[in-house]
Amino acid sequence: MGKLTMTVGQALVKFLDNQYVSFDDKEEKFVDGIFTVFGHGIVCGLGQALDENPGDLKVYQGRNEQGMAHAAAGFAKQSNRRKIIACASSIGPGAANMVTAVADATANNVPLLVFTGDTFSTRQPDPVLQQIEQFHDATVTTSDAFRPVSRYWDRVSRPEQLMTALLNAMRILTDPEKAGGVCISLPQDVQGETFPFPDYYFKKRVHRIVRMNPDSYELKDAVDLIKNKKKPMVIIGGGVRYSEAGEEVVKFCETYKIPFGETQSGKSAIPSSHPLNLGGVGVTGNSAANAIAAKADLIIGIGTRLTDFTTGSKELFRNKEVRFVLVNVSRYHAEKLDALPLVADAKAGMQAILSELNNSGYQSDYTTEIEEAILGWKKEMKFLTKTVFDENYESFVKAKEPGIEEEFIKATGGVITQTGALGIIREQIEEDAIIVGSSGSLPGDLQRMWTTDAKDSYHMEYGYSCMGYEIAAALGAKIAEPDRACYAMVGDGAFMMLHSEIATALQENKKITVLLFDNCGFGCINNLQMGKGMGSLATMFRYRDKETKKQDGRLITTDFAMIGRGYGMTAFTAKTNEELVTALNEAQQTDNSVLIDIKVLPKSMTADYGSWWHVGIGDSNTNQNIKAAYEDRQKHLDNARMY
């Protein structure tokens, strides 16, 4: 057995550079590189190793640790979880900055590997810069904050521990069921320690991503239930995308005339134009999908976690005879809602169901319901996309401050409706463009309204609904697919939270286009609070009034285009539909990254389409609007499943 004597940092780099994955016999290099903001506790250990010999790993310079980790997650998601970029940070605030991004990745089953610099394992210089001293436990550091948000967590306190730590990390990162955030804490003195590692540890490793086949008994139960149901509906989750099961799902639905709806993660796995595609389902779903879901007697969920937004807080499926078959690689998810579980890879599971149902004579009992539902939504879509502000204009969201539209127009000059803007954008940008989003009202509008026949072109993070994901992940998506146009769909609130990776996009010459929807506030959450009878409190961007002492003064306006230009982007401001069309056309003609500051009217986003969302509004003896919202909550709860 040969030995390779090197530092822990050098061993880590050499190991990562030799990891590969194989899926359906296609072999790919797994680790593209490392994103880092070098700082105390990482630059002289891992940083030294990367400087001396990074191998084929690219080193990316982040600007904010959360942002770079979101970029890495966006890269992994757009690579269908078969490639990653690792992230490395300093020991204190740099590490803490990544906690949110790791939580986001874990919530969405996206592989994200982070290395946190840590205090000295010897404790000789304690307390070091950035160290938090805990009186009750000297082993606790900032890195421990990752424990509750990681799928796997480890601390390498001795050089020998690196080997099992990294192998365990690869096991989680390449597992379709368990993929999520992985945090490995690296004490800064250990990173520089030398150890004779066995040479076989650095051999090329190919991690095979295996398609799990269903159990025969579970398969029989699922097929028997399908045969006994007349109005089934399929829900497409992210598992369909990652498994590349779109063709199998389409064949199943076409063979038995079963309509399907899409979750945020499942959208663009199958073309929007397919005649059985109802579109988005759930709280942010459309009228077509939700109408069919409400009457369905069987829900076949494929690769979905069935979050509250998909199930309408378990109230959407209103047929008293409704049952569930859930195809998922995770038994945890497959047994939700008292479902008959089919624990399997999405593609393998659907192939097995097709085989079992073959020649059974089964057919759904739909007549014209599917076509009528889709036709009704198409009419609504035409109305939404053509909505303009004129003397007949009425906002879709009714709970609002009096005169908010006129006030906004006076402050900004913007007269574009959000739904109208999305219609224009869809008409103008590239057919196969990747759009990236995450938070605010845009995910709802996009799940309802965005249509695409280009595979994997809809990149939405909504499991964690993390403000700040949008721009960073658009960069990650662009790194993953450099030949496709990438657009970040972001609200003004989320833009203010995190936009620093614009600098990295410019540095890497990766063109992204930021479509910034400015409505002078956290519009989505303002809709929620006012829709539940509350006033507008700390959600619109307003100055504090000297007389009332409250934040109810005039609207705060921001020139976001100027911020873009400050970074070095090409930037435009669009206040009218015509200006938006011009900006989009010019944006496509430049090689530079672009920011378009779109001034959209408050309350011009879509509203509800037959689904309910359970939020914790309480009763009130003083506010009748809140009391009514509370009573409505209780009424819906009576009709919702308890678990």
Side-chain angles (χ1 to χ4, degrees), residues 160-180:
E160 301 95 316
Q161 294 173 353
L162 178 72
M163 292 178 282
T164 54
L166 290 178
L167 288 171
N168 281 328
M170 291 299 126
R171 172 177 58 83
I172 295 297
L173 293 165
T174 60
D175 186 333
E177 177 190 3
K178 297 182 176 66

Side-chain angles (χ1 to χ4, degrees), residues 332-384:
Y332 179 90
H333 297 312
E335 293 188 352
K336 289 177 177 177
L337 295 175
D338 274 346
L340 285 182
L342 190 64
V343 181
D345 166 80
K347 187 172 186 176
M350 295 314 296
Q351 287 173 337
I353 289 176
L354 276 162
S355 178
E356 282 291 308
L357 272 176
N358 189 35
N359 298 321
S360 68
Y362 174 75
Q363 191 74 198
S364 77
D365 199 29
Y366 289 104
T367 54
T368 61
E369 300 100 314
I370 301 169
E371 293 81 1
E372 289 172 358
I374 292 174
L375 180 60
W377 177 247
K378 285 182 176 179
K379 290 180 179 178
E380 178 71 2
M381 274 281 287
K382 186 175 182 180
F383 172 68
L384 293 171

